[in-house]
Amino acid sequence: MSFSSSSSSWLTSPSCTLLPIDSSSSTPNLVLQWLTFLFLSPCPQRLLLSALDSLFLLFLLAFAAHKLYSRFNSTTNSTSSITKSLLQEKDSDYRITFWFKLPLLVTILLAIAYTVLGVLAFTQTNFASWRLIEALFRLFQAIVNIVIVILMIHEKKFKFSKHPLSLRIYWIANFVIATLFAVSAIVRVVTVGEANLELSLRIDDIFSLINLPLSVLFFVIAIKGSSGIHVIRISDAVVATYRSISTDRALSPYACSSFLSKTVWYWMNPLINKGYETPLKLEDVPSLPLEFRAEKMSELFQNNWPKPEENSKHPVGVTLFRCFWKPLTFTGFLAIIRLCVMYVGPMLIQSFVDFTSRKDSTTNEGVVLILILFVAKSVEVLSVHQFNFHSQKLGMLIRSSIITSVYKKGLRLSSSSRQAHGTGQIVNHMAVDAQQLSDLMMQFHPIWMMPLQVAAALILMYSYVGISVLAALLGTTVVFLFTLYRTKSSNSFQFRIMTSRDSRMKATNELLNNMRVIKFQAWEDYFGNKVRQFREAEHGWIGKFLYYFAVNMGVLSTAPLAVTVLTFGTATFIGVPLNAGTVFTITSVIKILQEPVRTFPQALIMISQATISLGRLDEFMVSKEMDENAVQREENCDGDVAVEIKDGKFSWDDKDENETLKVDELVIKKGNHAAVVGTVGSGKSSLLASVLGEMFKISGKVRVCGTTAYVAQTSWIQNATIKENILFGLPMNTNKYREALRVCCLEKDLEMMDDGDETEIGERGINLSGGQKQRIQLARAVYQDTDIYLLDDVFSAVDAQTGSFIFKECIMGSLKDKTVLLVTHQVDFLHNVDSIMVMREGRVVQSGKYDELLKAGLDFGALVAAHESSMEITETGDNSNDDSSSQSPKLARIASKEKENAGEQQSSQDKPKPDKTAAKLIEDEERETGRVNLEVYKHYFTEAFGWWGIALMVAMSVAWMLAFLAGDYWLAFATSDDSSIPSFTFIIVYAVIAVVACIVVMVRAFLFTYWGLKTSQSFFIGMLQSILHAPMSFFDTTPSGRILSRVSTDLLWVDISIPMLLNFVVLAYLSLFSILIVTCQNSWETVFLLIPLFWFNNWYRKYYLATSRELTRLDSITKAPVIHHFSETLSGVMTIRSLRKQNEFSDENIERVNASVRMDFYNNGANEWLGFRLDYMGVVFLCMATLFMIFLPSAIVKPEYVGMSLSYSLALSGLLSFTITMTCSVENKMVSVERIKQFTNLPSEAPWKIADKSPPQNWPSHGTIELNNLQVRYRPNTPLVLKGVSLTIQGGEKVGVVGRTGSGKSTLIQVLFRLIEPSAGNIMIDGINISSVGLHDLRSRFGIIPQDPVLFQGTVRSNIDPLGLYSEDEIWKSLERCQLKEVVAAKPEKLEALVVDGGDNWSVGQRQLLCLGRIMLKRSKILFMDEATASVDSQTDVVIQKIIREDFADRTIISIAHRIPTVMDCDKVLVIDAGLAKEYEKPSRLLERASLFAALVKEYSNRST
């Protein structure tokens, strides 16, 4: 009995002296009593642990001293260990695992816990002597843990894979002592009882029991020995790769920063400092950390994609979860930490009110309360900003992985899948869907956090108002159900918004890609209205969504007031006493409670948007891919067969078994040259596609032996230099490169260009002629040096001489030992090929050599007969002038620097070469620097309602603030100790204030929404009008991605984000103002703190904004190239796949994504850098203000106002940073307004209509065209393209225009349409100067069949008659005349037959015939034909020419052609050479003498010999 009583006294005694021992006990008992005292008594335990800590620290100190001594002694020795460790870092990398992060985090938490316990020891312990011992012991423990943290950071810096032996021994010994502490705690609880213990021992016992499992963790780590740092050796090749990632940019400071630096964003300082000193440029922004780069994300996504046997219904969502569950869990952990500390502030309000109202309060109590407040708010601030940063980082990684994966999928899509999705929709997957999933990460955790936050709040409220908490629960539930219901309703709006945005983007993309044709036809209004209609639908859904959102926000803003009225009304009714402390604790908790209720619906909206995006991505990512096994590809194979098809049946539609192409047997031997001929739409291009594997193989066998190169009928050129286009990723081989240029007839063209092969080609090759584009893509194929060449009608866009040269030197020269499959309409080349295949209706109907097929007759005979009949007149002319034509003058071969129809002709003989930079066609994107101009703000704010609108918004916002202030002042006044207001009156007045506040909030929300919607629509209409009125030169020099980024991302910000952000900013500033009023009124000394607080806030804002603004601008600029590159890739995917260049293009996409994501990463870092600093200043201000409040006499500060001030001030730390962050966000997002504004003030072409100068209704009635000294240049200070052309074309004459590629033929047509304005001279049509009439009056009176046949997405009817001016009979008649009636009539939908984006489901020849059909309907008095029949066979060409002669007998026709027979029956021929009209006469007259035209005819007739 005596032993147990002495044991229990030792267990509970704080004394360090030995208590009386029963000396009569036996020796074992004495030993046991001594051991119990030494190991279980509080004081010896602390001495034991302190001794262990002291030994550990002494050892570390001695080790550090030894290292320093070694360093001083080894300064002259270059191979010292210190130097070696530095060298090792270069060829090794490391990976931090969970087993390093966990002990580091636990050690930091222990250091914080020991510090808090040390502070509490001073205040909570009753024994004066024990107070000092306990406090010093706890603080000593905190110091040791801080030292361990520093030691572990040192381990990371020097990449130690093992923990030091000293630390491992310490952890093992610490585990033993921690076990003793835990045993003491358990024994104390069992023998003494927790209720009888002194408070400090109770806290000690709880901590000891919590600490035991942590000690077990450290014990396990000590036994294992591994530090959790995995060192990876990097080979020299990898080092070189990493080095090449950024040769001129610094490596990421984030990657090499310490734990502390990452905790407080110190690693952002160098970049923010640089941005403050000078506007940031792209090269100033450091590269991404290696683990965040797009290539890593792409690989991660690929590795985690569900296997086919898993049969996953939501593969994208599953993959993202597998990739990112760890960072998602970590952000969840941060959210829980924040939840644990967020209610500490409200819990302290009652304590502070009690403290100020009590007479016997001690200073220590006040200090402890402020310290607890400071620690809690500090942890809250840190956890909030770390949560934000890591969530944004996670979103960034998700966006990166989706963009790269969507791009790779785009490269693998089958043709029908690509057509089904469309370029606009696939671009939206990258631009919008990836962004939606990225944004979700900030709103993901509130979904499951909401129940926890509500439960914590209700428990806290229950402790103050008891059963009245049910009223608060009821009110919160009603608000929650209301917002949940509204959110569900708004989901459909979200879906509709995204669908209508897809449609608008498709229409806009189509408008931009075909702007030249649209301007030729004066269809800007029609296509503008089409885009406008899609926009109206989108804007309508955005309006419905935002009004829904406004009601939700209005209800949620007034919900705290309503729930407070309900709670206090119930409390009053059941007799719960309400004092100032209780009232303001409850109001603070209810305000916090509204945060999860408010964010939950927002999170649901984000989840619904993300779910829709995931569904769209799932559909896209599981779309049918091109079957890689459809074609057996073998390289370096034996045998003499290069291409073989047996029993092949193919379709363009993956799901449709109806065959488009049937090939029973096709064998092409190695080194053979085979030609494919046939009428338009017979399946020639489809045959090439089947060999490439681009068509869906229904059955049969396709075998290709060797590498392939494909040259498409429609040229595909990249927005890069000519050299880069030809090399196409291969290293430079000078001899091979020069040979490719020579055989493709490009040498003279390059000589005439300022930069030669370094000349940059515009988007879609706009600064090249059709022939130049065709020859460059042919040169690209030649340079690739593949085994098999598939050439699709490569001669259609080049003139006769060039075509002959290419055939002889390239196809029969450089490619003589290669296998060539050539689709052509040029019958005169067919003598020289090894075999010919004739196609009709998707079948090979004849095959063999030229003479064999000619004898057989049938289809081939008809083609040859048509060609020969067209050649008769040229033969006649040629024979009669055999001698003289050989003496014909040479045509000067002029190549265009920019496209004949879009560029400048340069004469290099008499012009010095300009500076290289001057020749850059696509200029770097314009971006402002420095602050967003105040004009931009003024433009935005006054766009809808002028200054009156702003005044009304401000007035409503001030009314909102006053309504809420009135409610809180009434609470403080009515619950003060000396108040005699009846409970009923108190509640009624408070309820009235709540109703008024509700009305004000609702009206204000609707006004803000209406104002935002009107402003965004006004901006869109202004931008669309400006783009439609822009001259053609603008589209030639501006990539479509640059315009698309403004009408997608920038417009999205202006539609939704900017109005919301401005709403929040106004509310935040007014809330801040009200907090400062209340705080300073009750603690006037804090006025002195406000001056430095505001100064620091303003300084930090300026310091940060300089960097953030430029990062946002750079972010906008780096996003457009990702979209542009993707659009470009989709256009040329057949070429890319034929050359097996998918990996190179994926790498290019990854580089562009890295550039874009890099801006995101540093922008997020900058945001949290600022937010953390501002919030922390708010915490300091709050604690200082509280210090003044509680230590001033109660006569100066009334207790009830202390509660009110605290309930306001608690929101200050978060609100301060929220206000500044929102202000910065507004400025950053205003960059979008700035960018849209740039495109609302574009230079405009001449007016479309001039009211008092409209030409007569029947103009032109005769069609007489007079050119008087016509001179044209494309831009000021550039050489003339047309150099004084003077001639007259009489009404009804047919004029053929011929000349070399780049001589200015297409330029002449552009001037007649005023796509380019004359520099001098004039053009008169029927006596009217065309410069004096409106552009639409001019262009709508002409008819044109342009060089590139363009079809628009829609139907046959909408393509042939977009404006709906003609009857169905007229349309059918037109189709019959242009040889398409049978094709259209065979389709089930007839005139409503589908035409996909770009007309890809129609052959190029059929597209050209449809364009001809438009003109037949229009029946203009003047008709222009620019290579109108280049893509049709000779047979069809003869028929078309006959129809044109019959239908347009009385019309003036100007025809540009490379086929000489096309112009032989013209009334006159115009020969343009080097911008001059060299010859203008009847063709027969020109053939009678030595003329340039005679030389062309001779070349054409002799081309195949």
Side-chain angles (χ1 to χ4, degrees), residues 664-953:
D664 294 326
E665 187 167 16
L666 169 69
V667 176
I668 299 170
K669 295 189 174 176
K670 287 183 180 176
N672 274 11
H673 288 36
V676 184
V677 295
T679 55
V680 170
S682 58
K684 302 182 296 298
S685 299
S686 296
L687 182 66
L688 297 190
S690 69
V691 173
L692 290 170
E694 292 287 341
M695 290 185 81
F696 173 60
K697 187 176 77 175
I698 300 167
S699 63
K701 172 191 169 187
V702 183
R703 181 170 164 267
V704 173
C705 185
T707 54
T708 55
Y710 170 69
V711 179
Q713 188 173 12
T714 306
S715 305
W716 177 69
I717 303 290
Q718 287 183 277
N719 180 197
T721 64
I722 291 173
K723 184 195 283 182
E724 286 166 342
N725 265 282
I726 294 172
L727 296 181
F728 208 57
L730 291 184
M732 169 59 93
N733 178 327
T734 309
N735 293 334
K736 190 164 80 165
Y737 179 70
R738 284 182 182 158
E739 179 64 8
L741 292 178
R742 186 188 71 79
V743 300
C744 293
C745 222
L746 282 167
E747 291 171 317
K748 292 259 176 74
D749 296 80
L750 297 182
E751 282 173 20
M752 299 302 150
M753 296 183 187
D754 295 334
D755 283 352
D757 61 2
E758 293 294 338
T759 301
E760 187 186 0
I761 301 174
E763 191 178 12
R764 301 182 307 280
I766 52 89
N767 54 328
L768 299 173
S769 70
Q772 286 168 331
K773 285 192 280 190
Q774 193 69 276
R775 284 180 283 127
I776 286 170
Q777 68 163 357
L778 182 60
R780 173 175 64 208
V782 170
Y783 188 80
Q784 301 306 305
D785 194 22
T786 59
D787 303 320
I788 300 165
Y789 285 84
L790 305 171
L791 311 178
D792 196 349
D793 201 11
V794 290
F795 302 111
S796 62
V798 296
D799 57 67
Q801 186 194 28
T802 309
S804 302
F805 182 87
I806 289 172
F807 185 76
K808 289 171 187 170
E809 297 296 325
C810 179
I811 292 171
M812 304 306 293
S814 289
L815 305 183
K816 67 178 183 294
D817 298 324
K818 306 287 185 182
T819 306
V820 178
L821 189 53
L822 171 69
V823 169
T824 185
H825 294 305
Q826 314 295 332
V827 175
D828 33 18
F829 292 145
L830 299 179
H831 300 85
N832 302 290
V833 298
D834 298 304
S835 63
I836 301 165
M837 282 163 280
V838 185
M839 298 201 69
R840 183 177 75 232
E841 296 176 0
R843 307 279 186 280
V844 178
V845 289
Q846 286 179 277
S847 65
K849 289 190 174 291
Y850 185 87
D851 296 331
E852 294 168 11
L853 294 177
L854 203 56
K855 285 176 189 170
L858 302 174
D859 295 61
F860 186 68
L863 280 170
V864 173
H867 172 69
E868 286 178 348
S869 66
S870 71
M871 290 296 291
E872 281 172 9
I873 186 166
T874 63
E875 295 288 341
T876 309
D878 184 37
N879 292 337
S880 65
N881 270 294
D882 209 336
D883 298 327
S884 60
S885 60
S886 63
Q887 304 299 316
S888 296
K890 292 280 184 186
L891 278 119
R893 184 155 175 72
I894 300 293
S896 56
K897 178 206 172 256
E898 290 186 9
K899 189 177 182 183
E900 302 170 1
N901 31 349
E904 311 147 8
Q905 272 62 25
Q906 298 284 341
S907 176
S908 62
Q909 286 85 354
D910 54 358
K911 284 260 171 198
K913 288 210 173 185
D915 183 23
K916 290 278 180 191
T917 54
K920 189 173 172 69
L921 173 78
I922 306 294
E923 295 298 334
D924 290 335
E925 184 165 359
E926 178 190 351
R927 77 174 175 104
E928 308 286 342
T929 54
R931 291 193 57 172
V932 174
N933 198 311
L934 286 173
E935 275 296 310
V936 176
Y937 285 96
K938 183 195 162 198
H939 190 55
Y940 182 81
F941 287 122
T942 58
E943 181 73 15
F945 303 111
W947 292 104
W948 286 108
I950 297 173
L952 184 61
M953 299 299 165

Side-chain angles (χ1 to χ4, degrees), residues 292-355:
F292 302 152
R293 289 178 64 83
E295 53 267 43
K296 181 88 183 286
M297 293 303 106
S298 175
E299 187 185 346
L300 189 67
F301 191 90
Q302 204 171 325
N303 292 343
N304 285 288
W305 185 259
K307 292 179 175 57
E309 55 268 24
E310 292 178 50
N311 200 20
S312 176
K313 290 182 180 175
H314 306 289
V316 176
V318 169
T319 307
L320 289 176
F321 180 75
R322 287 175 180 175
C323 292
F324 302 111
W325 70 268
K326 285 181 182 174
L328 196 63
T329 308
F330 178 66
T331 51
F333 171 69
L334 290 171
I336 288 172
I337 289 179
R338 186 200 170 200
L339 174 64
C340 293
V341 293
M342 69 190 299
Y343 288 114
V344 172
M347 286 169 67
L348 291 173
I349 289 178
Q350 183 72 57
S351 305
F352 277 117
V353 172
D354 291 347
F355 178 84

Side-chain angles (χ1 to χ4, degrees), residues 501-519:
R501 189 182 297 130
D502 276 353
S503 303
R504 177 174 62 80
M505 287 300 292
K506 268 186 184 176
T508 308
N509 197 32
E510 187 174 60
L511 172 81
L512 297 175
N513 288 340
N514 304 311
M515 187 53 86
R516 187 176 301 279
V517 172
I518 289 167
K519 284 197 176 291

Side-chain angles (χ1 to χ4, degrees), residues 645-650 662-666 698-701:
I645 303 178
K646 276 190 179 173
D647 304 322
K649 291 182 181 178
F650 306 92
K662 183 178 180 183
V663 183
D664 294 326
E665 187 167 16
L666 169 69
I698 300 167
S699 63
K701 172 191 169 187

Side-chain angles (χ1 to χ4, degrees), residues 335-618:
I336 288 172
I337 289 179
R338 186 200 170 200
L339 174 64
C340 293
V341 293
M342 69 190 299
Y343 288 114
V344 172
M347 286 169 67
L348 291 173
I349 289 178
Q350 183 72 57
S351 305
F352 277 117
V353 172
D354 291 347
F355 178 84
T356 50
S357 57
R358 279 203 336 260
K359 302 293 182 191
D360 58 343
S361 306
T362 62
T363 306
N364 283 357
E365 281 183 70
V367 171
V368 167
L369 285 172
I370 289 171
L371 274 175
I372 292 169
L373 181 66
F374 177 72
V375 170
K377 293 302 282 181
S378 297
V379 172
E380 185 181 352
V381 164
L382 191 61
S383 61
V384 164
H385 289 289
Q386 284 293 342
F387 172 82
N388 290 346
F389 177 70
H390 284 283
S391 295
Q392 287 166 338
K393 185 185 80 181
L394 177 56
M396 173 195 88
L397 299 181
I398 286 173
R399 187 167 77 88
S400 173
S401 62
I402 286 173
I403 290 175
T404 49
S405 303
V406 165
Y407 182 87
K408 284 183 175 177
K409 180 71 179 182
L411 284 173
R412 298 194 303 268
L413 280 181
S414 68
S415 297
S416 64
S417 296
R418 199 166 62 250
Q419 284 179 12
H421 290 285
T423 306
Q425 189 179 325
I426 300 173
V427 164
N428 261 359
H429 290 321
M430 298 182 88
V432 178
D433 293 328
Q435 192 64 51
Q436 300 276 24
L437 290 170
S438 173
D439 294 342
L440 171 68
M441 290 306 100
M442 286 291 287
Q443 302 293 339
F444 181 77
H445 292 297
I447 294 291
W448 59 267
M449 287 286 290
M450 207 266 302
L452 296 177
Q453 286 172 286
V454 171
L458 293 175
I459 291 166
L460 187 59
M461 286 165 68
Y462 179 77
S463 65
Y464 285 94
V465 292
I467 202 71
S468 305
V469 79
L470 291 175
L473 177 61
L474 176 67
T476 305
T477 305
V478 168
V479 171
F480 172 71
L481 291 174
F482 170 80
T483 48
L484 190 62
Y485 168 74
R486 302 281 295 182
T487 303
K488 275 190 172 180
S489 304
S490 70
N491 284 355
S492 62
F493 299 151
Q494 286 289 325
F495 181 74
R496 300 277 189 165
I497 289 169
M498 292 173 91
T499 309
S500 49
R501 189 182 297 130
D502 276 353
S503 303
R504 177 174 62 80
M505 287 300 292
K506 268 186 184 176
T508 308
N509 197 32
E510 187 174 60
L511 172 81
L512 297 175
N513 288 340
N514 304 311
M515 187 53 86
R516 187 176 301 279
V517 172
I518 289 167
K519 284 197 176 291
F520 271 138
Q521 305 281 10
W523 286 342
E524 292 101 325
D525 275 338
Y526 170 74
F527 283 93
N529 285 332
K530 194 173 168 185
V531 172
R532 220 173 271 120
Q533 283 167 11
F534 285 127
R535 170 62 184 173
E536 290 291 344
E538 179 193 13
H539 193 252
W541 291 115
I542 289 172
K544 286 176 182 173
F545 168 70
L546 287 178
Y547 282 123
Y548 249 66
F549 186 78
V551 171
N552 286 2
M553 290 308 292
V555 169
L556 291 168
S557 298
T558 51
L561 266 178
V563 173
T564 308
V565 168
L566 204 58
T567 308
F568 291 162
T570 308
T572 305
F573 180 74
I574 61 174
V576 175
L578 296 173
N579 58 34
T582 303
V583 162
F584 286 107
T585 299
I586 296 298
T587 53
S588 291
V589 171
I590 288 174
K591 279 176 189 170
I592 293 176
L593 183 60
Q594 294 317 301
E595 190 216 354
V597 174
R598 184 175 66 249
T599 54
F600 188 77
Q602 197 177 344
L604 281 179
I605 287 174
M606 294 298 294
I607 280 188
S608 73
Q609 285 178 337
T611 307
I612 292 165
S613 290
L614 278 173
R616 284 153 51 94
L617 285 167
D618 281 336

Side-chain angles (χ1 to χ4, degrees), residues 119-375:
V119 172
L120 288 174
F122 273 115
T123 56
Q124 302 293 329
T125 309
N126 296 327
F127 303 106
S129 59
W130 180 248
R131 186 182 297 170
L132 186 62
I133 292 168
E134 180 69 1
L136 289 174
F137 168 69
R138 294 299 182 191
L139 292 174
F140 190 45
Q141 288 295 303
I143 291 165
V144 171
N145 279 283
I146 290 167
V147 169
I148 293 172
V149 168
I150 294 166
L151 183 62
M152 290 181 77
I153 292 168
H154 184 79
E155 286 176 14
K156 181 188 167 190
K157 185 179 178 183
F158 290 100
K159 305 171 189 172
F160 293 141
S161 58
K162 296 272 186 187
H163 286 300
L165 186 62
S166 55
L167 181 59
R168 290 163 64 190
I169 292 168
Y170 171 77
W171 275 339
I172 292 167
N174 189 52
F175 163 68
V176 175
I177 296 171
T179 308
L180 293 175
F181 271 79
V183 170
S184 296
I186 294 164
V187 173
R188 264 195 292 271
V189 171
V190 173
T191 58
V192 181
E194 197 68 24
N196 301 323
L197 283 175
E198 202 265 327
L199 179 61
S200 64
L201 282 176
R202 266 191 283 167
I203 293 171
D204 187 55
D205 288 349
I206 293 165
F207 182 76
S208 298
L209 292 170
I210 293 169
N211 188 40
L212 183 62
L214 301 179
S215 301
V216 172
L217 169 72
F218 286 121
F219 176 75
V220 171
I221 291 167
I223 297 297
K224 280 177 67 179
S226 172
S227 66
I229 301 169
H230 287 187
V231 179
I232 308 157
R233 291 284 298 176
I234 305 180
S235 67
D236 292 340
V238 177
V239 169
T241 306
Y242 283 178
R243 241 181 243 128
S244 70
I245 281 168
S246 176
T247 52
D248 56 346
R249 290 198 310 271
L251 284 173
S252 172
Y254 180 86
C256 51
S257 60
S258 67
F259 177 80
L260 184 64
S261 174
K262 286 178 182 174
T263 305
V264 296
W265 291 275
Y266 185 75
W267 56 273
M268 279 298 302
N269 281 13
L271 181 64
I272 288 175
N273 191 43
K274 187 159 195 170
Y276 182 67
E277 289 168 358
T278 176
L280 287 177
K281 301 185 192 71
L282 268 172
E283 58 271 19
D284 295 331
V285 183
S287 63
L288 273 175
L290 293 176
E291 65 267 29
F292 302 152
R293 289 178 64 83
E295 53 267 43
K296 181 88 183 286
M297 293 303 106
S298 175
E299 187 185 346
L300 189 67
F301 191 90
Q302 204 171 325
N303 292 343
N304 285 288
W305 185 259
K307 292 179 175 57
E309 55 268 24
E310 292 178 50
N311 200 20
S312 176
K313 290 182 180 175
H314 306 289
V316 176
V318 169
T319 307
L320 289 176
F321 180 75
R322 287 175 180 175
C323 292
F324 302 111
W325 70 268
K326 285 181 182 174
L328 196 63
T329 308
F330 178 66
T331 51
F333 171 69
L334 290 171
I336 288 172
I337 289 179
R338 186 200 170 200
L339 174 64
C340 293
V341 293
M342 69 190 299
Y343 288 114
V344 172
M347 286 169 67
L348 291 173
I349 289 178
Q350 183 72 57
S351 305
F352 277 117
V353 172
D354 291 347
F355 178 84
T356 50
S357 57
R358 279 203 336 260
K359 302 293 182 191
D360 58 343
S361 306
T362 62
T363 306
N364 283 357
E365 281 183 70
V367 171
V368 167
L369 285 172
I370 289 171
L371 274 175
I372 292 169
L373 181 66
F374 177 72
V375 170

